[in-house]
Amino acid sequence: MKKLLTMVAMLAVALTMQAQTKFHDVEANDAKGPVKCIKSNRMNQEVVINFSQDGKMSQEGLTNAKYDANGYLQSATIEAMGNKVDITFKWENGRFVGQKMNVMGQDMEITRTFNEDGTSASDIINAGGQKMESPYSDYKFDSHGNWISRKGQMMGQTIEQTRTIEYYE
């Protein structure tokens, strides 16, 4: 169960990435600029997220996306490992800082912390009162300043996360 929750959390984090756009889905996915597509590999699972030129994301299994008047994603439903998960997103001062969801009857909250340079320092996962922190390190960046490789710690294991980002010209 714990492994399943961790896998679902990592998939949900993939939803979670500063471009001057109508929608801020790129920022919710920890990226900036005119992003066209992010392909990531986490826990041997490829996740592909596409973005329109105005910044709205689309992903297989993503439905019911709701936005506020400023284009910040407030909630959505994703299908992860055969389960539908409703997610609410939290923003502070235009920055994505966390999300809440219910996974198979288990409430889960992910809170993001940041380094002084603005990169994600860690995600703190609270699953039913049980907290796990996944700190990030060893960042590698592309020419647009977005991370393309980093290491995360989860339940005592180091997990390398990689992604390829395509941009609009």
Side-chain angles (χ1 to χ4, degrees):
M1 179 70 164
K2 195 174 197 182
K3 186 174 182 178
L4 175 64
L5 288 173
T6 300
M7 290 176 69
V8 170
M10 292 306 290
L11 287 172
V13 169
L15 284 172
T16 66
M17 299 196 188
Q18 167 151 103
Q20 298 300 316
T21 61
K22 177 178 179 182
F23 299 99
H24 301 278
D25 298 357
V26 173
E27 294 97 323
N29 285 280
D30 201 16
K32 57 189 174 195
V35 174
K36 184 176 185 177
C37 178
I38 296 175
K39 295 177 185 174
S40 44
N41 185 351
R42 292 193 182 115
M43 300 177 75
N44 297 321
Q45 176 99 18
E46 183 177 72
V47 177
V48 178
I49 304 171
N50 294 299
F51 299 89
S52 62
Q53 286 189 306
D54 62 355
K56 190 172 186 178
M57 78 175 149
S58 64
Q59 176 183 347
E60 186 175 332
L62 174 70
T63 59
N64 302 324
K66 294 186 179 32
Y67 296 86
D68 70 9
N70 296 313
Y72 290 98
L73 184 61
Q74 299 299 299
S75 64
T77 301
I78 62 166
E79 188 170 322
M81 298 171 16
N83 294 295
K84 290 194 183 232
V85 179
D86 293 319
I87 302 173
T88 58
F89 298 87
K90 185 176 179 185
W91 300 82
E92 288 180 4
N93 301 318
R95 182 192 288 194
F96 172 81
V97 295
Q99 61 190 29
K100 291 182 181 182
M101 66 201 88
N102 186 289
V103 180
M104 298 172 24
Q106 180 82 27
D107 288 331
M108 182 181 297
E109 182 174 3
I110 299 172
T111 304
R112 178 158 297 154
T113 65
F114 296 91
N115 295 313
E116 288 180 16
D117 64 3
T119 58
S120 299
S122 69
D123 285 331
I124 301 167
I125 303 163
N126 182 344
Q130 191 172 27
K131 288 187 179 181
M132 298 175 282
E133 184 171 11
S134 177
Y136 299 113
S137 64
D138 299 327
Y139 278 92
K140 292 183 179 130
F141 298 91
D142 67 10
S143 61
H144 291 264
N146 288 315
W147 71 265
I148 53 172
S149 174
R150 69 182 181 187
K151 291 183 180 172
Q153 296 287 320
M154 180 66 72
M155 297 181 350
Q157 294 187 352
T158 299
I159 301 167
E160 183 170 3
Q161 300 173 339
T162 60
R163 63 185 188 175
T164 304
I165 303 175
E166 296 175 33
Y167 296 90
Y168 287 103
E169 297 296 319

PDB file of all heavy atoms in Angstrom, residues 103-140:
ATOM      1  N   VAL A 103      -6.362   9.303  -2.377  1.00  0.00           N
ATOM      2  CA  VAL A 103      -5.943   8.147  -3.156  1.00  0.00           C
ATOM      3  C   VAL A 103      -6.484   6.892  -2.468  1.00  0.00           C
ATOM      4  O   VAL A 103      -6.074   6.557  -1.356  1.00  0.00           O
ATOM      5  CB  VAL A 103      -4.398   8.078  -3.252  1.00  0.00           C
ATOM      6  CG1 VAL A 103      -3.961   6.878  -4.069  1.00  0.00           C
ATOM      7  CG2 VAL A 103      -3.841   9.361  -3.837  1.00  0.00           C
ATOM      8  N   MET A 104      -7.439   6.243  -3.117  1.00  0.00           N
ATOM      9  CA  MET A 104      -8.026   5.006  -2.589  1.00  0.00           C
ATOM     10  C   MET A 104      -8.479   5.173  -1.131  1.00  0.00           C
ATOM     11  O   MET A 104      -8.190   4.360  -0.277  1.00  0.00           O
ATOM     12  CB  MET A 104      -7.042   3.847  -2.725  1.00  0.00           C
ATOM     13  CG  MET A 104      -6.706   3.557  -4.164  1.00  0.00           C
ATOM     14  SD  MET A 104      -5.389   2.362  -4.502  1.00  0.00           S
ATOM     15  CE  MET A 104      -5.294   1.325  -3.105  1.00  0.00           C
ATOM     16  N   GLY A 105      -9.158   6.305  -0.852  1.00  0.00           N
ATOM     17  CA  GLY A 105      -9.675   6.563   0.485  1.00  0.00           C
ATOM     18  C   GLY A 105      -8.662   7.139   1.455  1.00  0.00           C
ATOM     19  O   GLY A 105      -8.988   7.400   2.604  1.00  0.00           O
ATOM     20  N   GLN A 106      -7.440   7.345   0.992  1.00  0.00           N
ATOM     21  CA  GLN A 106      -6.370   7.870   1.838  1.00  0.00           C
ATOM     22  C   GLN A 106      -6.086   9.324   1.456  1.00  0.00           C
ATOM     23  O   GLN A 106      -5.724   9.601   0.317  1.00  0.00           O
ATOM     24  CB  GLN A 106      -5.110   7.026   1.627  1.00  0.00           C
ATOM     25  CG  GLN A 106      -3.924   7.449   2.424  1.00  0.00           C
ATOM     26  CD  GLN A 106      -3.958   6.918   3.839  1.00  0.00           C
ATOM     27  OE1 GLN A 106      -4.552   5.884   4.106  1.00  0.00           O
ATOM     28  NE2 GLN A 106      -3.350   7.626   4.740  1.00  0.00           N
ATOM     29  N   ASP A 107      -6.270  10.261   2.409  1.00  0.00           N
ATOM     30  CA  ASP A 107      -5.942  11.657   2.136  1.00  0.00           C
ATOM     31  C   ASP A 107      -4.436  11.816   2.053  1.00  0.00           C
ATOM     32  O   ASP A 107      -3.685  11.252   2.854  1.00  0.00           O
ATOM     33  CB  ASP A 107      -6.485  12.577   3.234  1.00  0.00           C
ATOM     34  CG  ASP A 107      -7.994  12.721   3.166  1.00  0.00           C
ATOM     35  OD1 ASP A 107      -8.550  12.616   2.056  1.00  0.00           O
ATOM     36  OD2 ASP A 107      -8.619  12.933   4.221  1.00  0.00           O
ATOM     37  N   MET A 108      -3.997  12.599   1.066  1.00  0.00           N
ATOM     38  CA  MET A 108      -2.575  12.832   0.866  1.00  0.00           C
ATOM     39  C   MET A 108      -2.380  14.303   0.530  1.00  0.00           C
ATOM     40  O   MET A 108      -3.149  14.884  -0.225  1.00  0.00           O
ATOM     41  CB  MET A 108      -2.047  11.958  -0.273  1.00  0.00           C
ATOM     42  CG  MET A 108      -0.569  12.098  -0.517  1.00  0.00           C
ATOM     43  SD  MET A 108      -0.001  11.075  -1.893  1.00  0.00           S
ATOM     44  CE  MET A 108      -0.360   9.455  -1.278  1.00  0.00           C
ATOM     45  N   GLU A 109      -1.326  14.889   1.109  1.00  0.00           N
ATOM     46  CA  GLU A 109      -0.972  16.269   0.823  1.00  0.00           C
ATOM     47  C   GLU A 109       0.520  16.332   0.505  1.00  0.00           C
ATOM     48  O   GLU A 109       1.332  15.699   1.183  1.00  0.00           O
ATOM     49  CB  GLU A 109      -1.282  17.164   2.020  1.00  0.00           C
ATOM     50  CG  GLU A 109      -0.986  18.616   1.780  1.00  0.00           C
ATOM     51  CD  GLU A 109      -1.439  19.517   2.930  1.00  0.00           C
ATOM     52  OE1 GLU A 109      -1.936  19.004   3.952  1.00  0.00           O
ATOM     53  OE2 GLU A 109      -1.283  20.730   2.780  1.00  0.00           O
ATOM     54  N   ILE A 110       0.861  17.065  -0.536  1.00  0.00           N
ATOM     55  CA  ILE A 110       2.259  17.262  -0.910  1.00  0.00           C
ATOM     56  C   ILE A 110       2.541  18.755  -0.800  1.00  0.00           C
ATOM     57  O   ILE A 110       1.839  19.575  -1.393  1.00  0.00           O
ATOM     58  CB  ILE A 110       2.542  16.773  -2.341  1.00  0.00           C
ATOM     59  CG1 ILE A 110       2.250  15.274  -2.447  1.00  0.00           C
ATOM     60  CG2 ILE A 110       3.990  17.078  -2.739  1.00  0.00           C
ATOM     61  CD1 ILE A 110       2.303  14.728  -3.859  1.00  0.00           C
ATOM     62  N   THR A 111       3.564  19.088  -0.025  1.00  0.00           N
ATOM     63  CA  THR A 111       3.975  20.475   0.153  1.00  0.00           C
ATOM     64  C   THR A 111       5.386  20.627  -0.396  1.00  0.00           C
ATOM     65  O   THR A 111       6.264  19.829  -0.068  1.00  0.00           O
ATOM     66  CB  THR A 111       3.955  20.866   1.650  1.00  0.00           C
ATOM     67  OG1 THR A 111       2.651  20.622   2.164  1.00  0.00           O
ATOM     68  CG2 THR A 111       4.320  22.329   1.834  1.00  0.00           C
ATOM     69  N   ARG A 112       5.603  21.628  -1.244  1.00  0.00           N
ATOM     70  CA  ARG A 112       6.908  21.854  -1.853  1.00  0.00           C
ATOM     71  C   ARG A 112       7.656  22.944  -1.080  1.00  0.00           C
ATOM     72  O   ARG A 112       7.083  23.958  -0.726  1.00  0.00           O
ATOM     73  CB  ARG A 112       6.741  22.277  -3.310  1.00  0.00           C
ATOM     74  CG  ARG A 112       8.075  22.570  -3.973  1.00  0.00           C
ATOM     75  CD  ARG A 112       8.025  22.471  -5.454  1.00  0.00           C
ATOM     76  NE  ARG A 112       7.708  21.103  -5.829  1.00  0.00           N
ATOM     77  CZ  ARG A 112       7.121  20.763  -6.968  1.00  0.00           C
ATOM     78  NH1 ARG A 112       6.802  21.671  -7.842  1.00  0.00           N
ATOM     79  NH2 ARG A 112       6.868  19.506  -7.239  1.00  0.00           N
ATOM     80  N   THR A 113       8.945  22.699  -0.835  1.00  0.00           N
ATOM     81  CA  THR A 113       9.825  23.717  -0.265  1.00  0.00           C
ATOM     82  C   THR A 113      10.840  24.105  -1.337  1.00  0.00           C
ATOM     83  O   THR A 113      11.064  23.348  -2.287  1.00  0.00           O
ATOM     84  CB  THR A 113      10.554  23.213   0.991  1.00  0.00           C
ATOM     85  OG1 THR A 113      11.432  22.140   0.632  1.00  0.00           O
ATOM     86  CG2 THR A 113       9.563  22.744   2.058  1.00  0.00           C
ATOM     87  N   PHE A 114      11.454  25.279  -1.167  1.00  0.00           N
ATOM     88  CA  PHE A 114      12.336  25.810  -2.204  1.00  0.00           C
ATOM     89  C   PHE A 114      13.697  26.200  -1.648  1.00  0.00           C
ATOM     90  O   PHE A 114      13.811  26.617  -0.488  1.00  0.00           O
ATOM     91  CB  PHE A 114      11.684  27.045  -2.854  1.00  0.00           C
ATOM     92  CG  PHE A 114      10.405  26.719  -3.568  1.00  0.00           C
ATOM     93  CD1 PHE A 114       9.188  26.787  -2.915  1.00  0.00           C
ATOM     94  CD2 PHE A 114      10.421  26.314  -4.894  1.00  0.00           C
ATOM     95  CE1 PHE A 114       8.005  26.474  -3.564  1.00  0.00           C
ATOM     96  CE2 PHE A 114       9.243  25.991  -5.553  1.00  0.00           C
ATOM     97  CZ  PHE A 114       8.039  26.067  -4.885  1.00  0.00           C
ATOM     98  N   ASN A 115      14.720  26.068  -2.489  1.00  0.00           N
ATOM     99  CA  ASN A 115      16.061  26.565  -2.194  1.00  0.00           C
ATOM    100  C   ASN A 115      16.086  28.069  -2.433  1.00  0.00           C
ATOM    101  O   ASN A 115      15.176  28.625  -3.059  1.00  0.00           O
ATOM    102  CB  ASN A 115      17.093  25.891  -3.111  1.00  0.00           C
ATOM    103  CG  ASN A 115      17.196  24.401  -2.855  1.00  0.00           C
ATOM    104  OD1 ASN A 115      17.287  23.958  -1.722  1.00  0.00           O
ATOM    105  ND2 ASN A 115      17.174  23.626  -3.931  1.00  0.00           N
ATOM    106  N   GLU A 116      17.164  28.727  -1.994  1.00  0.00           N
ATOM    107  CA  GLU A 116      17.294  30.169  -2.189  1.00  0.00           C
ATOM    108  C   GLU A 116      17.282  30.563  -3.660  1.00  0.00           C
ATOM    109  O   GLU A 116      16.828  31.646  -4.015  1.00  0.00           O
ATOM    110  CB  GLU A 116      18.582  30.678  -1.537  1.00  0.00           C
ATOM    111  CG  GLU A 116      18.507  30.690  -0.023  1.00  0.00           C
ATOM    112  CD  GLU A 116      19.785  31.200   0.619  1.00  0.00           C
ATOM    113  OE1 GLU A 116      20.618  31.815  -0.076  1.00  0.00           O
ATOM    114  OE2 GLU A 116      19.936  30.980   1.836  1.00  0.00           O
ATOM    115  N   ASP A 117      17.763  29.673  -4.540  1.00  0.00           N
ATOM    116  CA  ASP A 117      17.790  29.987  -5.972  1.00  0.00           C
ATOM    117  C   ASP A 117      16.457  29.714  -6.669  1.00  0.00           C
ATOM    118  O   ASP A 117      16.332  29.891  -7.874  1.00  0.00           O
ATOM    119  CB  ASP A 117      18.912  29.222  -6.679  1.00  0.00           C
ATOM    120  CG  ASP A 117      18.724  27.710  -6.655  1.00  0.00           C
ATOM    121  OD1 ASP A 117      17.688  27.217  -6.136  1.00  0.00           O
ATOM    122  OD2 ASP A 117      19.615  27.002  -7.154  1.00  0.00           O
ATOM    123  N   GLY A 118      15.451  29.281  -5.925  1.00  0.00           N
ATOM    124  CA  GLY A 118      14.125  29.047  -6.482  1.00  0.00           C
ATOM    125  C   GLY A 118      13.860  27.624  -6.934  1.00  0.00           C
ATOM    126  O   GLY A 118      12.727  27.294  -7.280  1.00  0.00           O
ATOM    127  N   THR A 119      14.889  26.761  -6.945  1.00  0.00           N
ATOM    128  CA  THR A 119      14.651  25.365  -7.311  1.00  0.00           C
ATOM    129  C   THR A 119      13.948  24.643  -6.168  1.00  0.00           C
ATOM    130  O   THR A 119      14.010  25.061  -5.013  1.00  0.00           O
ATOM    131  CB  THR A 119      15.977  24.625  -7.637  1.00  0.00           C
ATOM    132  OG1 THR A 119      16.832  24.702  -6.505  1.00  0.00           O
ATOM    133  CG2 THR A 119      16.637  25.186  -8.873  1.00  0.00           C
ATOM    134  N   SER A 120      13.276  23.560  -6.495  1.00  0.00           N
ATOM    135  CA  SER A 120      12.589  22.769  -5.476  1.00  0.00           C
ATOM    136  C   SER A 120      13.607  22.112  -4.562  1.00  0.00           C
ATOM    137  O   SER A 120      14.494  21.400  -5.023  1.00  0.00           O
ATOM    138  CB  SER A 120      11.735  21.687  -6.136  1.00  0.00           C
ATOM    139  OG  SER A 120      10.752  22.256  -6.949  1.00  0.00           O
ATOM    140  N   ALA A 121      13.489  22.366  -3.271  1.00  0.00           N
ATOM    141  CA  ALA A 121      14.377  21.737  -2.289  1.00  0.00           C
ATOM    142  C   ALA A 121      13.856  20.355  -1.934  1.00  0.00           C
ATOM    143  O   ALA A 121      14.624  19.403  -1.822  1.00  0.00           O
ATOM    144  CB  ALA A 121      14.488  22.592  -1.032  1.00  0.00           C
ATOM    145  N   SER A 122      12.529  20.252  -1.756  1.00  0.00           N
ATOM    146  CA  SER A 122      11.947  18.966  -1.400  1.00  0.00           C
ATOM    147  C   SER A 122      10.439  19.003  -1.575  1.00  0.00           C
ATOM    148  O   SER A 122       9.832  20.065  -1.663  1.00  0.00           O
ATOM    149  CB  SER A 122      12.276  18.601   0.053  1.00  0.00           C
ATOM    150  OG  SER A 122      11.597  19.464   0.953  1.00  0.00           O
ATOM    151  N   ASP A 123       9.870  17.811  -1.611  1.00  0.00           N
ATOM    152  CA  ASP A 123       8.433  17.626  -1.499  1.00  0.00           C
ATOM    153  C   ASP A 123       8.204  16.868  -0.208  1.00  0.00           C
ATOM    154  O   ASP A 123       8.857  15.846   0.043  1.00  0.00           O
ATOM    155  CB  ASP A 123       7.861  16.831  -2.679  1.00  0.00           C
ATOM    156  CG  ASP A 123       7.782  17.656  -3.955  1.00  0.00           C
ATOM    157  OD1 ASP A 123       7.624  18.889  -3.870  1.00  0.00           O
ATOM    158  OD2 ASP A 123       7.870  17.064  -5.038  1.00  0.00           O
ATOM    159  N   ILE A 124       7.301  17.377   0.607  1.00  0.00           N
ATOM    160  CA  ILE A 124       6.946  16.703   1.852  1.00  0.00           C
ATOM    161  C   ILE A 124       5.588  16.062   1.626  1.00  0.00           C
ATOM    162  O   ILE A 124       4.602  16.747   1.339  1.00  0.00           O
ATOM    163  CB  ILE A 124       6.916  17.683   3.034  1.00  0.00           C
ATOM    164  CG1 ILE A 124       8.292  18.332   3.193  1.00  0.00           C
ATOM    165  CG2 ILE A 124       6.470  16.971   4.307  1.00  0.00           C
ATOM    166  CD1 ILE A 124       8.319  19.533   4.107  1.00  0.00           C
ATOM    167  N   ILE A 125       5.545  14.751   1.727  1.00  0.00           N
ATOM    168  CA  ILE A 125       4.327  13.992   1.463  1.00  0.00           C
ATOM    169  C   ILE A 125       3.725  13.567   2.786  1.00  0.00           C
ATOM    170  O   ILE A 125       4.384  12.895   3.591  1.00  0.00           O
ATOM    171  CB  ILE A 125       4.636  12.759   0.587  1.00  0.00           C
ATOM    172  CG1 ILE A 125       5.294  13.208  -0.723  1.00  0.00           C
ATOM    173  CG2 ILE A 125       3.368  11.943   0.329  1.00  0.00           C
ATOM    174  CD1 ILE A 125       5.988  12.102  -1.471  1.00  0.00           C
ATOM    175  N   ASN A 126       2.491  13.972   3.035  1.00  0.00           N
ATOM    176  CA  ASN A 126       1.769  13.593   4.241  1.00  0.00           C
ATOM    177  C   ASN A 126       0.642  12.668   3.803  1.00  0.00           C
ATOM    178  O   ASN A 126      -0.332  13.103   3.213  1.00  0.00           O
ATOM    179  CB  ASN A 126       1.226  14.825   4.957  1.00  0.00           C
ATOM    180  CG  ASN A 126       0.514  14.484   6.250  1.00  0.00           C
ATOM    181  OD1 ASN A 126       0.155  13.333   6.506  1.00  0.00           O
ATOM    182  ND2 ASN A 126       0.294  15.493   7.065  1.00  0.00           N
ATOM    183  N   ALA A 127       0.796  11.387   4.065  1.00  0.00           N
ATOM    184  CA  ALA A 127      -0.200  10.385   3.686  1.00  0.00           C
ATOM    185  C   ALA A 127      -0.860   9.875   4.959  1.00  0.00           C
ATOM    186  O   ALA A 127      -0.264   9.089   5.694  1.00  0.00           O
ATOM    187  CB  ALA A 127       0.449   9.249   2.914  1.00  0.00           C
ATOM    188  N   GLY A 128      -2.051  10.370   5.224  1.00  0.00           N
ATOM    189  CA  GLY A 128      -2.785   9.914   6.393  1.00  0.00           C
ATOM    190  C   GLY A 128      -2.064  10.164   7.696  1.00  0.00           C
ATOM    191  O   GLY A 128      -2.133   9.346   8.608  1.00  0.00           O
ATOM    192  N   GLY A 129      -1.353  11.282   7.813  1.00  0.00           N
ATOM    193  CA  GLY A 129      -0.636  11.605   9.034  1.00  0.00           C
ATOM    194  C   GLY A 129       0.788  11.090   9.075  1.00  0.00           C
ATOM    195  O   GLY A 129       1.543  11.404   9.988  1.00  0.00           O
ATOM    196  N   GLN A 130       1.152  10.291   8.107  1.00  0.00           N
ATOM    197  CA  GLN A 130       2.512   9.768   8.030  1.00  0.00           C
ATOM    198  C   GLN A 130       3.290  10.625   7.035  1.00  0.00           C
ATOM    199  O   GLN A 130       2.962  10.666   5.854  1.00  0.00           O
ATOM    200  CB  GLN A 130       2.490   8.313   7.583  1.00  0.00           C
ATOM    201  CG  GLN A 130       3.800   7.617   7.714  1.00  0.00           C
ATOM    202  CD  GLN A 130       3.638   6.123   7.442  1.00  0.00           C
ATOM    203  OE1 GLN A 130       2.735   5.694   6.713  1.00  0.00           O
ATOM    204  NE2 GLN A 130       4.505   5.335   8.032  1.00  0.00           N
ATOM    205  N   LYS A 131       4.325  11.336   7.521  1.00  0.00           N
ATOM    206  CA  LYS A 131       5.068  12.266   6.670  1.00  0.00           C
ATOM    207  C   LYS A 131       6.352  11.633   6.158  1.00  0.00           C
ATOM    208  O   LYS A 131       7.061  10.944   6.892  1.00  0.00           O
ATOM    209  CB  LYS A 131       5.412  13.550   7.421  1.00  0.00           C
ATOM    210  CG  LYS A 131       4.222  14.441   7.654  1.00  0.00           C
ATOM    211  CD  LYS A 131       4.640  15.772   8.236  1.00  0.00           C
ATOM    212  CE  LYS A 131       3.418  16.658   8.425  1.00  0.00           C
ATOM    213  NZ  LYS A 131       3.784  17.958   8.956  1.00  0.00           N
ATOM    214  N   MET A 132       6.608  11.885   4.866  1.00  0.00           N
ATOM    215  CA  MET A 132       7.852  11.468   4.224  1.00  0.00           C
ATOM    216  C   MET A 132       8.373  12.681   3.464  1.00  0.00           C
ATOM    217  O   MET A 132       7.595  13.353   2.777  1.00  0.00           O
ATOM    218  CB  MET A 132       7.607  10.335   3.229  1.00  0.00           C
ATOM    219  CG  MET A 132       7.064   9.063   3.826  1.00  0.00           C
ATOM    220  SD  MET A 132       6.690   7.842   2.543  1.00  0.00           S
ATOM    221  CE  MET A 132       5.134   8.481   1.934  1.00  0.00           C
ATOM    222  N   GLU A 133       9.669  12.948   3.572  1.00  0.00           N
ATOM    223  CA  GLU A 133      10.252  14.055   2.821  1.00  0.00           C
ATOM    224  C   GLU A 133      11.117  13.506   1.709  1.00  0.00           C
ATOM    225  O   GLU A 133      11.879  12.558   1.900  1.00  0.00           O
ATOM    226  CB  GLU A 133      11.089  14.958   3.724  1.00  0.00           C
ATOM    227  CG  GLU A 133      11.620  16.169   2.987  1.00  0.00           C
ATOM    228  CD  GLU A 133      12.263  17.195   3.889  1.00  0.00           C
ATOM    229  OE1 GLU A 133      12.497  16.905   5.066  1.00  0.00           O
ATOM    230  OE2 GLU A 133      12.519  18.308   3.403  1.00  0.00           O
ATOM    231  N   SER A 134      10.960  14.093   0.533  1.00  0.00           N
ATOM    232  CA  SER A 134      11.767  13.719  -0.620  1.00  0.00           C
ATOM    233  C   SER A 134      12.597  14.936  -1.013  1.00  0.00           C
ATOM    234  O   SER A 134      12.135  15.798  -1.755  1.00  0.00           O
ATOM    235  CB  SER A 134      10.867  13.281  -1.779  1.00  0.00           C
ATOM    236  OG  SER A 134      11.660  12.980  -2.910  1.00  0.00           O
ATOM    237  N   PRO A 135      13.844  15.023  -0.490  1.00  0.00           N
ATOM    238  CA  PRO A 135      14.698  16.152  -0.872  1.00  0.00           C
ATOM    239  C   PRO A 135      15.303  15.947  -2.259  1.00  0.00           C
ATOM    240  O   PRO A 135      15.524  14.803  -2.686  1.00  0.00           O
ATOM    241  CB  PRO A 135      15.788  16.152   0.202  1.00  0.00           C
ATOM    242  CG  PRO A 135      15.829  14.749   0.709  1.00  0.00           C
ATOM    243  CD  PRO A 135      14.450  14.174   0.518  1.00  0.00           C
ATOM    244  N   TYR A 136      15.553  17.046  -2.969  1.00  0.00           N
ATOM    245  CA  TYR A 136      16.114  16.989  -4.318  1.00  0.00           C
ATOM    246  C   TYR A 136      17.529  17.566  -4.324  1.00  0.00           C
ATOM    247  O   TYR A 136      17.824  18.524  -3.617  1.00  0.00           O
ATOM    248  CB  TYR A 136      15.236  17.769  -5.303  1.00  0.00           C
ATOM    249  CG  TYR A 136      13.838  17.210  -5.412  1.00  0.00           C
ATOM    250  CD1 TYR A 136      12.743  17.928  -4.965  1.00  0.00           C
ATOM    251  CD2 TYR A 136      13.627  15.947  -5.947  1.00  0.00           C
ATOM    252  CE1 TYR A 136      11.456  17.403  -5.059  1.00  0.00           C
ATOM    253  CE2 TYR A 136      12.347  15.419  -6.043  1.00  0.00           C
ATOM    254  CZ  TYR A 136      11.275  16.145  -5.594  1.00  0.00           C
ATOM    255  OH  TYR A 136      10.011  15.627  -5.692  1.00  0.00           O
ATOM    256  N   SER A 137      18.386  16.988  -5.158  1.00  0.00           N
ATOM    257  CA  SER A 137      19.777  17.437  -5.263  1.00  0.00           C
ATOM    258  C   SER A 137      20.314  17.103  -6.648  1.00  0.00           C
ATOM    259  O   SER A 137      19.621  16.500  -7.465  1.00  0.00           O
ATOM    260  CB  SER A 137      20.641  16.758  -4.195  1.00  0.00           C
ATOM    261  OG  SER A 137      20.671  15.354  -4.419  1.00  0.00           O
ATOM    262  N   ASP A 138      21.560  17.471  -6.881  1.00  0.00           N
ATOM    263  CA  ASP A 138      22.280  17.134  -8.111  1.00  0.00           C
ATOM    264  C   ASP A 138      21.514  17.531  -9.370  1.00  0.00           C
ATOM    265  O   ASP A 138      21.379  16.745 -10.309  1.00  0.00           O
ATOM    266  CB  ASP A 138      22.631  15.644  -8.153  1.00  0.00           C
ATOM    267  CG  ASP A 138      23.533  15.227  -7.005  1.00  0.00           C
ATOM    268  OD1 ASP A 138      24.358  16.057  -6.580  1.00  0.00           O
ATOM    269  OD2 ASP A 138      23.407  14.095  -6.527  1.00  0.00           O
ATOM    270  N   TYR A 139      21.034  18.757  -9.379  1.00  0.00           N
ATOM    271  CA  TYR A 139      20.295  19.264 -10.533  1.00  0.00           C
ATOM    272  C   TYR A 139      21.200  19.436 -11.751  1.00  0.00           C
ATOM    273  O   TYR A 139      22.342  19.873 -11.636  1.00  0.00           O
ATOM    274  CB  TYR A 139      19.684  20.633 -10.215  1.00  0.00           C
ATOM    275  CG  TYR A 139      18.383  20.586  -9.452  1.00  0.00           C
ATOM    276  CD1 TYR A 139      18.367  20.634  -8.062  1.00  0.00           C
ATOM    277  CD2 TYR A 139      17.177  20.530 -10.123  1.00  0.00           C
ATOM    278  CE1 TYR A 139      17.168  20.619  -7.359  1.00  0.00           C
ATOM    279  CE2 TYR A 139      15.975  20.514  -9.438  1.00  0.00           C
ATOM    280  CZ  TYR A 139      15.980  20.560  -8.057  1.00  0.00           C
ATOM    281  OH  TYR A 139      14.786  20.539  -7.370  1.00  0.00           O
ATOM    282  N   LYS A 140      20.648  19.143 -12.932  1.00  0.00           N
ATOM    283  CA  LYS A 140      21.246  19.502 -14.214  1.00  0.00           C
ATOM    284  C   LYS A 140      20.163  20.255 -14.973  1.00  0.00           C
ATOM    285  O   LYS A 140      18.986  19.877 -14.935  1.00  0.00           O
ATOM    286  CB  LYS A 140      21.683  18.261 -14.987  1.00  0.00           C
ATOM    287  CG  LYS A 140      22.846  17.554 -14.321  1.00  0.00           C
ATOM    288  CD  LYS A 140      23.315  16.367 -15.120  1.00  0.00           C
ATOM    289  CE  LYS A 140      24.492  15.749 -14.387  1.00  0.00           C
ATOM    290  NZ  LYS A 140      24.399  14.347 -14.197  1.00  0.00           N
TER     291      LYS A 140
END
